[in-house]
Amino acid sequence: MARNILASSLQNASFSIIFQIFCRCITFAINAFIVRSIGRDVLGITNVRLLLLESTLLFLSKEAIFRAALSSKHNKHCNWAQLINQLWITVPICCLLSIPCLYIWLRWLSAVEDHFYVQYRFGCYAIAFSCIIELFAEVPIFVSQVFCFVKLKVVMDTTHIFIRSFVFIAIVLLNKTITIYAFGIAQIISALTIIVGNYGFFYVYIPRLDHYRIESKKVDDKYELRKTFGNHYENMDDFPFQSIKDMFPGSLPNPNPTFNSDLKLLVLSFAKQGILKQVLTEGEKYVMSVSPVLTFSEQATYDVVNNMGSLAARFIFRPIEDSSYFYFTQTIARDVDLSQQNQKKVNEACLVLSYVCKTVTSIGLLGLVFGQSYSGTILLLYGGADFVEGGLPEVLLRWHSLAIVLLAINGVTEGYMFATNTSKQIDTYNYYMAVFSVAFLMLSYKLTNWIGPVGFILANCFNMGCRTSYSLYYIYTNFRKIGLNPLSSFLPGSMFLVVLITCGFVCKISESYFRGHSILYHMLIGVLCISVSLLTWSFENRQLLRTGLTKYRERKLSLTYDSN
C-alpha cells in the first residue's frame, strides 16, 4: 500500500495521546463527582468490578485475533476473506465467554451489599451485552487501522466516550440512587455508537472511492490525482471492499480455506499469551474481587490512585506502544532473520526503537521524581481533604511513580518483541509469562495482607521488572546478529539526569515549606522545574527532535508530491 507507515504511526500516536487526555479528563471529572457526591462504594463497584468484567471479555475475545490479523501483511497465503472470517469469530467467542464470566461475577466473587445487588446484577448483564455489541464493529475498526484512517479512529473514540459520559451524567443527575443502572445503560448506548459510526463511515466512503476509481482512469499524473482527490487515490488499488456487505463473513470471494492455518497458529499463541497478560495487567483487581482483602471503599481509593498514577501510561505510553507495535509489524517480518530483510527498514526500526525507548524512559523518570513532591497536592485538589485523610492515598501515589518507570520501558520493548516474535518464540515466552503470573498473584495476595494496598504496587513492580528484563534480552540478541544495538542509547543523557535530580530536591524543599502555606507557590515551582527539565532534555536530544521534525515535514510534503 502506498502509504508511509512510520508517518501514519506517529500521527496515530499523536492523535491517541490527545484523545487519551480528553478521555481521562472526562473520567476523572466523573469519578470526582461520584467520590464527593455519591460515595466510594459505588465507585468501587463500577470502576473495579464492572470494568474488570468488560476488560476481561474484550481482551480475551479479540486481542489475540486482532494482533494476529495485523501481522498478516507478511503472510503471502492470507487474503482479506480469511481475515474477515477470523475477525468475526470474536462475536461468538464473546457470547460463549459471557456465560462463565457472568456466573463467576454474580456467584463466586466477594459479595456486594444487598441494597446494591439488584443494580450490580443489571450492570453485569449490561457490560456483557455491550461487549458483544462492540465486537460487531471489529472488522471496520481493523480496516480503518490497516488503511491508516487515523482521524476516523480518533473521532469514533471521542464520540464513544462523550456519549457514554453524557448518558451516565444525565441519568445520575436525575436520580443519584441508580448510579449503577446509569453506568450499564451508558455502556450499551455508547457501544451502539461504535457500530453506527464505523459502518456509517464506510457506507459513505466506499461509493465515493468507486467514483474516484472511475475518474482516476482519466488522469495519469499522480500529482493531479492527489490535488483532485486528496489521499483517497492511494487506497484505490488495495482497498478490497465494494460495499458494506463485503465486511461480513463469506461475502468476499475466497479460493482458499475459510481460515488461514498459519494465522490460526499465531492466534493460539497470542491467546495463551493474552490470558497471562490479562492476569498480569489486571491482577490486583482480580485479587481484590476474589478475596475480600479490601472493602469496596478501599478498592475505590486504590482505583482512583491507580488511575492517577497511571496517567502517563494511559495518556502517552499506551498510544505510543500501540502505534509502535503497528509500525514494527508493518516493517519487520516475523519469520525472516533480520540479516535477510530490507536493511534500510531494519536500520530505521532500530533507530525508532532506540528513540522511543529513550523518550518513554525520560517521561517515566519525570513522573518518578516529581511524583514524590506533588502526590499529596494533586490528591487534595482532586478528592478534597476527606479523601486524603490518613495519608494512604498519598503513599500509594508515591509508590506508583516508581511503577511508572518500569511501565514506560516495558510497554515499548515488549511491543517490539510481540510484533517480531515467531509463533514458537511466543509459545516460549508464554511459559515465562505463566511463571510471572503465578509469582505476581502470590506476591499480591501476601504483600497486601502484610502491608495493605501498597503490596499491589510492589508486586506489580516485580512483575514489570521481570517482563522488561526478558524483552530487553530479546532485543539485544535479536539485533546483535547484524551488529546493531538499539539499547546503546537507551537511557537519557547525564545532563538531563543531573538537572532532574536537582529539580527533585528543589521541589521537596518547596513541599516542606509551601504546602501548608500556599499550594499555588508550590505548584508554580513545580511547573518551573519541569520546564527546566524538559528544556534540558530537548537540548540534549536535538538529533531526535530533528528526526521527528523531518518525518513530520515528509508527511506534509507527501500531501503535494508523490512518496515512493
Side-chain angles (χ1 to χ4, degrees):
M1 186 178 303
R3 70 195 193 278
N4 189 322
I5 297 296
L6 179 56
S8 297
S9 300
L10 291 172
Q11 185 187 31
N12 188 27
S14 302
F15 279 130
S16 295
I17 290 170
I18 294 171
F19 165 73
Q20 289 290 342
I21 293 174
F22 170 77
C23 172
R24 285 297 110 188
C25 287
I26 292 178
T27 303
F28 276 3
I30 292 174
N31 289 348
F33 170 74
I34 295 175
V35 167
R36 291 173 178 266
S37 305
I38 300 172
R40 298 187 203 179
D41 288 337
V42 172
L43 188 64
I45 293 172
T46 57
N47 283 21
V48 177
R49 185 69 64 85
L50 294 181
L51 288 184
L52 179 62
L53 175 60
E54 180 190 44
S55 170
T56 302
L57 286 174
L58 289 179
F59 193 94
L60 297 182
S61 298
K62 75 173 187 178
E63 182 74 6
I65 293 174
F66 197 89
R67 281 182 173 265
L70 279 177
S71 302
S72 63
K73 175 185 176 181
H74 302 291
N75 189 333
K76 298 179 181 179
H77 304 291
C78 183
N79 59 39
W80 269 103
Q82 292 174 322
L83 285 177
I84 298 300
N85 293 335
Q86 179 172 290
L87 289 167
W88 273 101
I89 295 178
T90 57
V91 177
I93 289 177
C94 188
C95 292
L96 291 175
L97 286 175
S98 295
I99 298 172
C101 283
L102 285 172
Y103 183 82
I104 292 170
W105 256 251
L106 293 172
R107 300 295 181 89
W108 283 12
L109 301 186
S110 57
V112 176
E113 295 181 11
D114 292 340
H115 60 283
F116 287 132
Y117 182 76
V118 175
Q119 291 192 56
Y120 169 70
R121 182 177 59 189
F122 172 82
C124 288
Y125 283 111
I127 289 292
F129 185 52
S130 69
C131 289
I132 295 171
I133 293 174
E134 185 173 333
L135 291 175
F136 273 88
E138 199 63 16
V139 171
I141 290 173
F142 176 78
V143 171
S144 66
Q145 180 161 353
V146 170
F147 286 88
C148 299
F149 290 102
V150 177
K151 293 179 182 178
L152 170 65
K153 179 180 183 297
V154 173
V155 170
M156 288 311 307
D157 287 346
T158 304
T159 303
H160 163 65
I161 293 297
F162 177 79
I163 291 179
R164 186 178 69 183
S165 304
F166 176 80
V167 172
F168 176 76
I169 290 293
I171 296 175
V172 171
L173 288 177
L174 292 174
N175 188 347
K176 294 181 181 179
T177 63
I178 58 171
T179 301
I180 303 176
Y181 280 133
F183 184 83
I185 294 170
Q187 290 288 130
I188 294 173
I189 294 176
S190 63
L192 290 171
T193 64
I194 295 176
I195 294 181
V196 174
N198 281 283
Y199 281 107
F201 171 82
F202 286 105
Y203 180 79
V204 174
Y205 175 78
I206 292 175
R208 291 179 63 189
L209 187 59
D210 290 337
H211 169 69
Y212 296 148
R213 285 189 179 117
I214 295 171
E215 293 296 322
S216 67
K217 295 177 181 178
K218 306 174 184 177
V219 183
D220 295 326
D221 184 62
K222 289 185 176 181
Y223 173 76
E224 289 297 326
L225 278 174
R226 194 186 293 275
K227 186 172 70 173
T228 306
F229 304 132
N231 286 329
H232 291 285
Y233 93 92
E234 291 185 339
N235 299 329
M236 289 178 189
D237 296 332
D238 297 308
F239 199 77
F241 306 102
Q242 303 296 322
S243 69
I244 289 294
K245 181 183 176 183
D246 291 342
M247 293 187 177
F248 291 89
S251 297
L252 287 175
N254 183 19
N256 299 324
T258 305
F259 301 102
N260 182 273
S261 57
D262 293 335
L263 223 54
K264 284 193 291 185
L265 293 175
L266 194 57
V267 168
L268 291 175
S269 298
F270 274 129
K272 289 183 285 186
Q273 187 184 85
I275 294 173
L276 298 172
K277 187 176 180 181
Q278 177 67 7
V279 171
L280 292 173
T281 303
E282 304 281 10
E284 67 269 20
K285 292 185 178 180
Y286 287 118
V287 173
M288 289 180 196
S289 299
V290 173
S291 176
V293 292
L294 301 176
T295 66
F296 278 113
S297 178
E298 291 172 328
Q299 290 180 31
T301 301
Y302 177 83
D303 184 68
V304 169
V305 174
N306 182 54
N307 285 334
M308 199 165 285
S310 304
L311 278 177
R314 296 175 186 273
F315 284 179
I316 303 173
F317 300 151
R318 184 59 187 270
I320 292 176
E321 178 186 347
D322 290 343
S323 297
S324 299
Y325 176 82
F326 173 72
Y327 167 74
F328 291 129
T329 57
Q330 306 302 298
T331 306
I332 305 294
R334 288 183 183 274
D335 299 314
V336 182
D337 193 83
L338 288 181
S339 61
Q340 300 175 6
Q341 299 190 41
N342 185 316
Q343 289 306 298
K344 183 178 179 181
K345 289 186 177 181
V346 171
N347 289 333
E348 182 186 76
C350 177
L351 189 64
V352 169
L353 179 60
S354 177
Y355 281 168
V356 173
C357 285
K358 176 182 286 189
T359 301
V360 296
T361 303
S362 301
I363 296 170
L365 290 173
L366 282 170
L368 171 62
V369 171
F370 291 102
Q372 305 308 308
S373 303
Y374 289 92
S375 295
T377 303
I378 293 172
L379 289 168
L380 178 64
L381 295 173
Y382 177 79
D386 291 339
F387 181 72
V388 297
E389 187 178 0
L392 177 61
E394 183 175 350
V395 172
L396 287 174
L397 191 53
R398 283 178 174 171
W399 278 104
H400 247 299
S401 60
L402 172 62
I404 288 174
V405 181
L406 297 172
L407 194 65
I409 305 171
N410 180 73
V412 175
T413 56
E414 206 170 62
Y416 174 82
M417 185 175 67
F418 292 158
T420 58
N421 271 173
T422 63
S423 298
K424 184 177 180 181
Q425 289 172 324
I426 293 173
D427 287 335
T428 301
Y429 184 59
N430 287 340
Y431 292 111
Y432 288 98
M433 289 277 279
V435 175
F436 298 158
S437 300
V438 172
F440 172 64
L441 292 175
M442 291 178 62
L443 272 175
S444 295
Y445 183 77
K446 290 294 184 181
L447 291 176
T448 305
N449 279 291
W450 290 343
I451 57 178
V454 174
F456 284 127
I457 301 173
L458 294 179
N460 196 37
C461 289
F462 172 81
N463 158 43
M464 286 294 171
C466 292
R467 290 166 58 183
T468 302
S469 299
Y470 187 94
S471 56
L472 288 174
Y473 177 75
Y474 169 80
I475 291 170
Y476 174 74
T477 55
N478 196 33
F479 281 97
R480 183 178 58 181
K481 301 174 184 177
I482 57 173
L484 297 175
N485 184 13
L487 305 182
S488 60
S489 55
F490 177 75
L491 296 175
S494 56
M495 184 188 302
F496 171 73
L497 293 176
V498 170
V499 171
L500 188 62
I501 293 172
T502 303
C503 288
F505 280 115
V506 171
C507 290
K508 262 300 183 184
I509 296 171
S510 171
E511 181 185 30
S512 62
Y513 183 78
F514 284 118
R515 184 174 169 184
H517 301 83
S518 175
I519 292 179
L520 177 60
Y521 286 146
H522 182 45
M523 296 294 288
L524 288 175
I525 290 173
V527 170
L528 178 62
C529 288
I530 291 174
S531 300
V532 171
S533 301
L534 291 175
L535 287 173
T536 304
W537 188 91
S538 300
F539 174 78
E540 203 169 32
N541 295 275
R542 300 183 297 280
Q543 183 59 42
L544 190 158
L545 295 177
R546 288 195 192 104
T547 303
L549 184 60
T550 300
K551 292 297 180 182
Y552 175 78
R553 287 174 176 171
E554 287 176 358
R555 181 180 173 276
K556 286 296 184 183
L557 288 174
S558 70
L559 297 175
T560 307
Y561 302 103
D562 182 48
S563 175
N564 293 318

